[in-house]
Amino acid sequence: QAGTGAVARTSQDKMRERISVKDFGATGDGVTDDTAAIQAAIDYAESITTANTFSTNAELFFPHGCYNISNTLLISKPIAVIGEGIGDIPTPNAPGTGRAVTIIYAVTGMADKPMVRAIASTSGEILIAGSFERIQLNGAGLASYGFHGSSLSRWKLDASEFRCRLAGMRLDDLNATL
């Protein structure tokens, strides 16, 4: 960056400020099964995150697109999962506004499963200060639900829309606040 007080940094250092699911092979093309790539990105973000701190350590970014998943995505540390945007979804009868849309879309095999599950990896732990924002969870008419959170504290959940047949959110543990 230019300007008074700016510090010279490498391009690599600048690019590592945010982890993208595309860095791990996710396509977001609405055809490819992106489950393994997205989970690998989540796992990496968690590997550089200190568990149960009062601030989120890693930010995982989903560029605009439709990311097909065939199994539940598991989040077990407080990371920030952020989509590029929300907006109109174009259809043949309504072309939409052209705003970016980030969708996680359930495909065959997702019946009776949550699309995203945030739960502590160690029994009795509470996940503190994570977030899930600006991503539509689309259950594709399957008997699935969008987000399952258990033992969460101070989590920000701002999904643009839940299109899930059973329920958009399932939250467990009355002792935690969301």
Side-chain angles (χ1 to χ4, degrees):
Q1 296 291 337
T4 303
V7 177
R9 298 171 42 197
T10 66
S11 295
Q12 184 178 39
D13 187 41
K14 178 82 171 173
M15 288 187 290
R16 285 185 172 167
E17 288 177 357
R18 177 181 267 184
I19 303 159
S20 172
V21 293
K22 290 195 173 190
D23 294 338
F24 291 82
T27 64
D29 64 6
V31 176
T32 305
D33 183 348
D34 289 320
T35 309
I38 295 169
Q39 190 62 58
I42 290 169
D43 293 347
Y44 173 72
E46 290 180 343
S47 76
I48 62 171
T49 295
T50 304
N52 295 333
T53 63
F54 285 97
S55 63
T56 302
N57 297 90
E59 183 176 295
L60 179 60
F61 179 65
F62 279 75
H64 117 272
C66 181
Y67 298 87
N68 290 349
I69 61 168
S70 58
N71 207 348
T72 300
L73 300 173
L74 181 62
I75 300 171
S76 59
K77 288 193 178 175
I79 62 173
V81 179
I82 300 173
E84 182 170 1
I86 58 177
D88 293 340
I89 298 171
T91 65
N93 297 327
T97 63
R99 292 183 291 167
V101 178
T102 304
I103 304 168
I104 295 179
Y105 191 84
V107 297
T108 304
M110 289 298 295
D112 298 320
K113 294 181 181 178
M115 295 175 67
V116 177
R117 186 170 187 219
I119 186 169
S121 58
T122 304
S123 180
E125 275 189 343
I126 294 177
L127 291 183
I128 301 171
S131 68
F132 191 88
E133 306 174 49
R134 298 193 309 250
I135 298 174
Q136 179 194 92
L137 295 174
N138 192 324
L142 299 171
S144 65
Y145 52 102
F147 184 89
H148 177 198
S150 183
S151 296
L152 304 179
S153 179
R154 297 174 46 146
W155 263 65
K156 179 177 183 180
L157 181 58
D158 179 17
S160 64
E161 185 175 13
F162 294 104
R163 291 187 176 193
C164 301
R165 197 163 138 203
L166 293 181
M169 291 184 290
R170 175 180 164 193
L171 304 174
D172 301 331
D173 193 341
L174 297 176
N175 296 320
T177 57
L178 185 69

